[in-house]
Amino acid sequence: MQIFEEIGPIRAYLDDQGRKGKSIGLVPTMGALHQGHLSLIGASKSENDLTVGTIYVNPTQFNNPTDLAKYPRSLETDIEQLTNAGCDVLFKPSNEVMYGEKNSLKFDFGQLDKVLEGKFRPGHFSGVALVVSKLFNIIQPQRAYFGQKDYQQFLVISRLVEELKFPLQLKSIPISREASGLALSSRNQRLSEEGKAKALLLVQCLRSTRDELLKGRNISDVRREVQARFDETPGVKLEYLELADSSTLEFLERGEKNSAVILIAGFVDDVRLIDNMLL
Ligand code: AMP
């Protein structure tokens, strides 16, 4: 695997590959890699000649400085995992390379970034859109791969690509889960074994919510029951449980199969986790 930290050298390398007719797939990550990230690498490898993974913990998408400071970092094992997964190129820029002195652009996606994660993490999606735009310009991929785990992020990036006319195809990859059902997340590394057991409450509540909604019940009633389950479990806190249109994220009371998504966020000890499930 070729590793680059600066824009000039990786551009020279990718221009050369482009002249040879190689297609490029991009997999942006913040590192602390797990099987979910590697499934994106695998999807890119199956559709492109060259897969470029990136590792960059983007400060502008963190609204909480403690979350940024405590974000897990494991570069050595990340490089090992990417190499074993057959990733061709790793781009791991510094803050200086990505931002320099200038850091003033802001994005506004209307309603799409005011609800759910956007509401609880103000500025988060502006930071995501900024760093993803920079990566699209630096790597110039034909395809870019994102996980369904960050459901709202995929819709925001889809809007970004549409409005700014980025000449690339976006791919959404299903959520990788542990056998227990827990959605894989870099933040799980911050959980104790006991914490991981408590974190199962998120996926359990998604499943029971889906079952209840499919029986024709409304989300307000189901949310009350989910809230009660969180209230009786020490060390967990529910931030939101919503049912939304799967393409606009407009909130719904009742959903139709395949056109609605259930989204949940909560804290386990002091670790914030998200998950979602299509109805
Ligand atoms: P992150 O490193 O958390 O920024 O994630 C990098 C990419 O991996 C994003 O597109 C995420 O949606 C995706 N991702 C994270 N966790 C999972 C998972 N459990 N399954 C599938 N994709 C994931």
Side-chain angles (χ1 to χ4, degrees):
M1 186 172 64
Q2 304 252 11
I3 301 179
F4 296 94
E5 298 186 1
E6 307 272 344
I7 296 173
I10 193 168
R11 264 314 334 140
Y13 177 78
L14 293 176
D15 281 341
D16 188 44
Q17 297 295 319
R19 277 192 292 273
K20 294 178 185 153
K22 301 271 173 83
S23 61
I24 296 168
L26 169 66
V27 180
T29 83
M30 298 202 296
L33 301 182
H34 51 64
Q35 200 51 47
H37 297 113
L38 300 181
S39 75
L40 272 61
I41 297 283
S44 171
K45 278 184 69 66
S46 69
E47 296 178 322
N48 301 279
D49 300 316
L50 267 187
T51 291
V52 179
T54 69
I55 296 180
Y56 179 60
V57 182
N58 172 36
T60 64
Q61 73 187 70
F62 285 81
N63 55 311
N64 177 346
T66 315
D67 189 26
L68 173 61
K70 290 194 172 173
Y71 198 82
R73 288 165 170 86
S74 52
L75 189 58
E76 248 173 69
T77 51
D78 287 352
I79 291 176
E80 216 174 282
Q81 290 192 78
L82 287 173
T83 306
N84 293 339
C87 183
D88 302 288
V89 176
L90 169 62
F91 182 54
K92 52 173 207 64
S94 62
N95 287 334
E96 288 67 36
V97 165
M98 288 304 270
Y99 285 100
E101 299 293 297
K102 298 189 190 69
N103 175 21
S104 58
L105 277 187
K106 297 275 183 278
F107 286 82
D108 187 336
F109 293 90
Q111 261 312 96
L112 194 55
D113 71 349
K114 305 299 179 298
V115 295
L116 303 162
E117 291 304 283
K119 176 176 169 195
F120 288 94
R121 302 182 68 188
H124 169 66
F125 287 119
S126 180
V128 168
L130 185 56
V131 78
V132 167
S133 300
K134 288 171 191 265
L135 290 173
F136 286 168
N137 282 327
I138 296 167
I139 308 297
Q140 299 170 25
Q142 278 74 51
R143 294 177 197 84
Y145 296 79
F146 295 89
Q148 212 182 1
K149 162 92 186 334
D150 298 276
Y151 193 92
Q152 188 175 14
Q153 170 174 283
F154 189 79
L155 294 182
V156 166
I157 293 170
S158 300
R159 178 81 74 76
L160 179 77
V161 165
E162 192 185 320
E163 292 206 19
L164 291 184
K165 318 289 182 207
F166 279 110
L168 54 83
Q169 214 184 339
L170 287 180
K171 299 278 185 162
S172 170
I173 305 302
I175 303 177
S176 294
R177 297 181 181 280
E178 287 190 358
S180 64
L182 180 65
L184 297 183
S185 164
S186 303
R187 288 186 172 86
N188 292 352
Q189 290 185 16
R190 295 185 47 212
L191 296 172
S192 62
E193 278 310 307
E194 197 192 339
K196 275 177 102 175
K198 284 191 279 188
L200 280 179
L201 192 55
L202 270 79
V203 65
Q204 285 164 356
C205 288
L206 280 177
R207 286 176 178 151
S208 62
T209 300
R210 182 190 55 193
D211 293 346
E212 293 304 310
L213 292 171
L214 288 175
K215 285 181 201 158
R217 296 186 63 206
N218 66 53
I219 188 73
S220 298
D221 290 344
V222 178
R223 187 187 297 113
R224 267 192 289 277
E225 292 162 15
V226 166
Q227 183 67 61
R229 283 180 75 179
F230 271 78
D231 289 345
E232 69 201 21
T233 312
V236 299
K237 183 179 156 234
L238 179 65
E239 197 159 63
Y240 63 73
L241 173 75
E242 298 288 354
L243 176 68
D245 180 280
S246 55
S247 40
T248 63
L249 289 188
E250 197 183 320
F251 289 167
L252 304 169
E253 262 305 295
R254 288 188 167 81
E256 289 200 10
K257 218 173 168 172
N258 296 324
S259 66
V261 58
I262 311 160
L263 305 109
I264 193 167
F267 286 89
V268 176
D269 302 324
D270 64 338
V271 183
R272 188 174 183 281
L273 301 174
I274 58 171
D275 199 352
N276 67 82
M277 201 169 274
L278 284 167
L279 194 61

